[in-house]
Amino acid sequence: MLSKVVETGMVKLNNMNNDLKPIPTLYKGTIFNSRLEARYALFFDYLDIKWQYEPEGARTVPKWYLCDFYLPELNLWLEIKPLTKKLYLKDVQAMDY
């Protein structure tokens, strides 16, 4: 399946650069670590979902982890990551059946 996707040119894997550096971005008085995180905040606002940015750590086993967002009305912690070539290939291979 993966080879078919790459051969047909449906995806240009070379455009997914693992070396991209995040650009701090200001949105509604909050400085986000990256433009992608700021876009998610904008998206949550558009959907009228209350959000908190890096409010505190979330308990994971065996330590605490600082997630990017907490959505209090949904009691949901979110970590935002850009799509990388490695993640893309892992997802496509998982779908190969």
Side-chain angles (χ1 to χ4, degrees), residues 63-78:
K63 58 185 178 182
W64 285 88
Y65 184 78
L66 183 62
C67 291
D68 295 324
F69 288 95
Y70 177 63
L71 310 180
E73 294 173 343
L74 302 172
N75 191 29
L76 181 66
W77 293 91
L78 296 174

Side-chain angles (χ1 to χ4, degrees), residues 12 26 51 56 58 80:
K12 294 181 181 177
L26 179 65
W51 54 269
E56 61 183 61
I80 307 301

Side-chain angles (χ1 to χ4, degrees), residues 6-47:
V6 174
E7 287 172 12
T8 60
M10 292 171 60
V11 177
K12 294 181 181 177
L13 294 178
N14 58 354
N15 288 343
M16 294 182 209
N17 188 347
N18 293 335
D19 298 330
L20 293 176
K21 301 294 182 223
I23 299 171
T25 304
L26 179 65
Y27 172 70
K28 285 196 168 179
T30 300
I31 299 174
F32 293 89
N33 291 324
S34 69
R35 289 181 179 176
L36 182 61
E37 292 173 353
R39 287 184 186 126
Y40 269 85
L42 178 92
F43 176 69
F44 296 144
D45 285 344
Y46 178 78
L47 295 176

